[in-house]
Amino acid sequence: MSAVLTDTRGGPTPAAVILPWEKPARTGPDFPGASRAAEARLAEAVGLAASIGVAIVHSAALPLRTRRPSTLLGEGQVESVALAVKEHHVQVVVVDAALTPVQQRNLERAWGCKVIDRTGLILEIFGERARTREGSLQVELAHLEYQRTRLVRSWTHLERQRGGFGFLGGPGESQIEIDRRLIGERIVKLKKELEQVRRTRGLHRRAREKVPHPVVALVGYTNAGKSTLFNALTGASVYAQDQLFATLDPTMRAIRLPSGRTVILSDTVGFISELPTQLVEAFRATLEEVAAADVILHVRDVAHPDSAAQRADVLEVLNEMAEGPDAALDPEWTNRMLEVLNKADLLGGLDQAAERGAGEAIAVSALTGEGLDRLRLALDERLSAGMVVTDVAVEPADGATVAWLYQNGEVLAREDGEDAIHLRVRLSQADLGRFETRQEP
């Protein structure tokens, strides 16, 4: 979709962002996201639109009394936006809501420019950010699922084409029917390729289980600082920018904790309110990394004015993953979650940030490094819960067993004797079973 937003005259495309919203006090079903302040939601929508390189020349939050089937907005609001479009020479209007194909077509006619809704905008961003083949497949699948419902407004040459010869002559497929068929065929192919990706990920996870290192997955609202925290903990140089959806493709690195234990840290795609259903399904392969994690680090931008609402949005997506017969997350996933309050430097320090958290939440600044030592210790403690401490004696010549214990467990004490090496080791139940199997004659 990137070609849609290209200004043939050169330079950024002039764009407007419109936020239709209903007041929370309104009775009846609320418009999605009505629990948030309109100003905060509009600022997020402007940030989303700006992240694809357009120039925001106008933005407005328009209260809705009722949602009109034809245009969503009221007649007066449509006219006021049309005046702004003409005044600022707007080429693209972003409506931060889900538009039906009919609403999108009618608004384009009324405003004389391209109109995209929230789903189309997020797909545009994802299309620019995907780097790996897996990410590209996921974005293409989501885009086709979205576009398939909008072919009714994508073509003007819908007259039937004649086809065949002699008695086979007659009306052939219309252009829209051809496009639907081709899109359907491509969707089937993409789903098969993504299923292969899931199988490959499953093989990788099983391989990690054979030489088990715990997996710690970073999750959180987009632009919460997950990639910056990932780089600070691992010393990696994963792309991290102050922009929404800077990370789409999962990245994994091994890190050492204070106990000497090795863990695998996984950086994943950020969540957002009203995440399009097409993307939730398309990115299932990526989200499965979260499901397989031993610890889920929920990274919050504690300095953001809407931090509490962002937290609720992330938990809602994770809850959806834990529901239904094909649930990716187990019902006890909350027991594996540890909350990280990031960007404490913007609030004046760790103490000020900690006041906005609860329970075991840990305040850090991924940018300055404050609080990271405490986070590493907390990860050690969380991973040690449920582990057992056992005393073992190993023959001095059996260096392989000693090395195995150091690699797979946490050696708390060691005493080298003439006849045996005595070790006190903390092991997981699974590793204890593997060790006992090794010791069997």
Side-chain angles (χ1 to χ4, degrees):
M1 293 177 61
S2 57
V4 172
L5 303 182
T6 300
D7 186 350
T8 56
R9 297 172 303 177
T13 302
V17 177
I18 306 302
L19 170 68
W21 68 290
E22 285 181 333
K23 297 180 180 179
R26 182 180 182 274
T27 57
D30 287 339
F31 197 74
S35 60
R36 293 185 175 211
E39 295 79 8
R41 291 178 55 207
L42 180 60
E44 179 181 273
V46 168
L48 283 169
S51 69
I52 57 174
V54 297
I56 310 301
V57 296
H58 177 74
S59 62
L62 305 178
L64 290 181
R65 293 183 179 86
T66 182
R67 285 177 281 183
R68 294 175 178 257
S70 58
T71 57
L72 180 65
L73 304 171
E75 292 181 7
Q77 292 172 332
V78 172
E79 292 176 2
S80 68
V81 174
L83 291 175
V85 166
K86 184 176 181 180
E87 178 184 355
H88 298 286
H89 306 287
V90 170
Q91 296 181 28
V92 178
V93 175
V94 177
V95 179
D96 189 37
L99 294 176
T100 66
V102 171
Q103 290 170 343
Q104 191 170 356
R105 179 196 62 197
N106 290 340
L107 290 176
E108 287 183 345
R109 288 177 176 174
W111 295 338
C113 66
K114 178 66 182 174
V115 174
I116 59 176
D117 65 358
R118 184 179 180 86
T119 301
L121 175 62
I122 294 177
L123 287 171
E124 178 82 25
I125 297 170
F126 276 39
E128 286 195 359
R129 301 278 157 58
R131 292 292 179 268
T132 66
R133 172 160 175 76
E134 176 192 345
S136 299
L137 288 174
Q138 291 168 329
V139 170
E140 184 181 355
L141 174 60
H143 183 268
L144 290 177
E145 292 279 12
Y146 171 76
Q147 192 66 23
R148 182 163 57 176
T149 65
R150 292 167 192 268
L151 289 178
V152 66
R153 48 166 291 281
S154 297
W155 296 92
T156 57
H157 51 295
L158 299 183
E159 70 279 1
R160 287 189 173 272
Q161 303 169 344
R162 296 190 60 83
F165 298 92
F167 65 90
L168 294 178
E173 288 183 299
S174 67
Q175 182 66 56
I176 192 171
E177 290 167 346
I178 293 173
D179 293 329
R180 281 182 178 147
R181 175 170 54 79
L182 293 175
I183 285 178
E185 292 172 355
R186 180 61 179 162
I187 286 174
V188 170
K189 183 178 179 182
L190 286 172
K191 286 184 175 180
K192 289 180 179 179
E193 293 185 40
L194 281 172
E195 186 59 37
Q196 180 60 44
V197 169
R198 296 188 185 109
R199 285 197 293 268
T200 302
R201 284 192 176 278
L203 292 173
H204 290 169
R205 280 194 290 271
R206 285 192 288 273
R208 289 198 298 267
E209 290 170 0
K210 292 180 181 178
V211 184
H213 294 308
V215 175
V216 177
L218 298 176
V219 302
Y221 206 80
T222 183
N223 205 31
K226 295 182 299 299
S227 295
T228 303
L229 180 61
F230 181 89
N231 290 339
L233 290 172
T234 65
S237 55
V238 169
Y239 181 69
Q241 289 292 329
D242 183 19
Q243 60 181 207
L244 301 169
F245 296 117
T247 300
L248 282 189
D249 303 304
T251 306
M252 308 185 85
R253 294 288 188 277
I255 64 172
R256 295 280 283 189
L257 297 179
S259 65
R261 179 189 291 114
T262 298
V263 301
I264 296 174
L265 195 63
S266 175
D267 188 19
T268 62
V269 64
F271 298 162
I272 195 168
S273 62
E274 303 169 51
L275 186 67
T277 54
Q278 297 97 330
L279 288 177
V280 174
E281 175 60 27
F283 279 81
R284 183 179 175 185
T286 301
L287 297 177
E288 283 175 355
E289 291 298 328
V290 178
D294 297 274
V295 177
I296 301 172
L297 282 187
H298 177 194
V299 183
R300 288 177 55 189
D301 178 358
V302 70
H304 195 283
D306 247 0
S307 182
Q310 291 180 353
R311 176 181 184 272
D313 289 328
V314 172
L315 296 181
E316 181 180 355
V317 173
L318 292 173
N319 275 324
E320 289 176 0
M321 291 175 60
E323 296 174 351
D326 299 326
L329 272 177
D330 62 274
E332 305 298 323
W333 66 269
T334 53
N335 297 330
R336 296 184 281 124
M337 192 174 74
L338 183 62
E339 197 165 88
V340 181
L341 308 175
N342 192 27
K343 303 190 182 182
D345 53 295
L346 298 180
L347 292 176
L350 301 181
D351 293 338
Q352 291 82 349
E355 293 176 359
R356 302 197 178 189
E360 299 179 355
I362 297 173
V364 304
S365 170
L367 195 62
T368 66
E370 289 183 282
L372 295 186
D373 288 341
R374 186 184 168 203
L375 176 58
R376 294 186 183 95
L377 288 171
L379 281 175
D380 250 342
E381 292 174 3
R382 181 61 65 94
L383 291 170
S384 296
M387 300 181 77
V388 296
V389 177
T390 183
D391 294 313
V392 299
V394 183
E395 294 181 1
D398 191 0
T401 296
V402 174
W404 190 93
L405 289 170
Y406 271 96
Q407 183 178 10
N408 296 278
E410 181 182 350
V411 177
L412 304 175
R414 172 173 174 165
E415 182 180 344
D416 294 330
E418 294 183 2
D419 300 326
I421 299 175
H422 298 277
L423 300 169
R424 173 163 289 184
V425 188
R426 181 184 284 124
L427 293 166
S428 67
Q429 292 285 356
D431 284 331
L432 180 60
R434 293 186 183 95
F435 176 71
E436 291 172 347
T437 300
R438 288 175 60 96
Q439 298 302 100
E440 292 176 359

